[in-house]
Every structure is written in C-alpha cells, then in structure tokens.
Amino acid sequence: MDLDLGMLVVRLALGPMLVAHGANKVWGGGGLAGTAGWFESLGLRPGRLHARLAAVTELTAGVLVTLGLLTGPACAAFVGLMTVAALTDHRGKGFFVFKGGAEYVVLVAMVAVGLALVGPGSWSLDAALGLPFSGLVWGVVAAVGGVLAALGLLAVFRRPAQDAA
C-alpha cells in the first residue's frame, strides 16, 4: 500500500502540473498565438504547429499520467517535452532554475523515467485494466525514446534566427 500511495502522489504531482502547462499554452495570457510567437523565438518553426503539438502532448500526457493509463508511453512524452525545453528555452543558462537553467525540466524528466520503471501503482487504470506499460523496458523507452523523439523534432524543425554579424 505504501508504494501504491507513493506512486499516486507522484502521478498527482506530475500529471496535473503538465496539464496546467498545456492549458496555459492554449488559454493563458497570449493564448496559442502567444505560444506560437514564443516558440518561433526559440527557433521552433512553424511556431503555430509547435504550439499546438506541445499543448496537445502536454494535456494528453498529463491526463494519462494522472490516471495511470499507458504510463510508459506517457512518460516518454514527458521526457520528450522536457528534452526539447532543456535544449531550447533553458539552453546555455546553467543548471539552476532561478537563473533560467534546466534544473526543473531535468527533474521532471527523471521522475517520469522513474515512474515508467516502477509503474503507476495499484491505484491506476493500467493496474485495473491489466496493461503492462511499466517496468525496465518502458523505463528505457521513456528515457531513450523520449530523448530521441525530441532530438528528431529539433533536427527537423528547429531553425534558430541567425545572429547579425
């Protein structure tokens, strides 16, 4: 029971946090247009596509982790999202979040990998439905697959603005 409660706490920390981030991209201050502009400034082009892709991925993965459903694939999405954030918005700013560094996104990605390894616990839809989406293989899929997906996205779509010489 202690492990089940602990994993529920982890899921309730990670999932709703990512849902809030996705909702903010859609309905926050500048809405999707503002998010698109911010993504353009990070070199993610076209910004409109990436704003929508990030919002949908954050909302979906956040809900899945909260429910403990398709845990491994959802955790891979977390890792992918955090890797893109680390390599764009937080790049070159050091480690500590109070200086704009990647501390937060690294922690979120690592906790997601841990969740994929350990599993969502008995109080989850994966357990209720008998779905095998956690364990060593899913931990590796979350870590490696998430990073590779992020690197692939950046290789295809990242076009940083050229500095004036």
Side-chain angles (χ1 to χ4, degrees):
M1 174 165 146
D2 291 343
L3 179 62
D4 296 324
L5 180 58
M7 297 319 295
L8 177 63
V9 169
V10 169
R11 291 187 358 248
L12 293 178
L14 281 181
M17 175 274 306
L18 201 62
V19 169
H21 276 263
N24 188 59
K25 284 179 174 59
V26 177
W27 299 289
L32 275 173
T35 302
W38 174 51
F39 279 10
E40 286 274 342
S41 77
L42 295 174
L44 294 170
R45 303 177 197 290
R48 288 176 43 118
L49 170 67
H50 291 284
R52 285 165 176 73
L53 180 62
V56 167
T57 304
E58 288 175 354
L59 290 165
T60 303
V63 167
L64 291 174
V65 162
T66 301
L67 298 174
L69 179 61
L70 304 174
T71 300
C75 289
F78 267 76
V79 172
L81 288 160
M82 297 303 115
T83 301
V84 170
L87 295 175
T88 57
D89 191 33
H90 301 280
R91 185 179 187 149
K93 298 176 183 174
F95 178 72
F96 296 106
V97 70
F98 58 84
K99 293 184 177 181
E103 175 182 19
Y104 168 77
V105 295
V106 169
L107 177 64
V108 170
M110 291 178 73
V111 171
V113 171
L115 177 59
L117 286 164
V118 173
S122 295
W123 302 341
S124 67
L125 288 178
D126 277 354
L129 299 170
L131 300 176
F133 288 107
S134 61
L136 179 60
V137 169
W138 281 105
V140 172
V141 167
V144 176
V147 168
L148 290 177
L151 293 176
L153 180 137
L154 292 172
V156 172
F157 289 106
R158 186 151 191 256
R159 303 291 177 261
Q162 299 298 319
D163 292 330

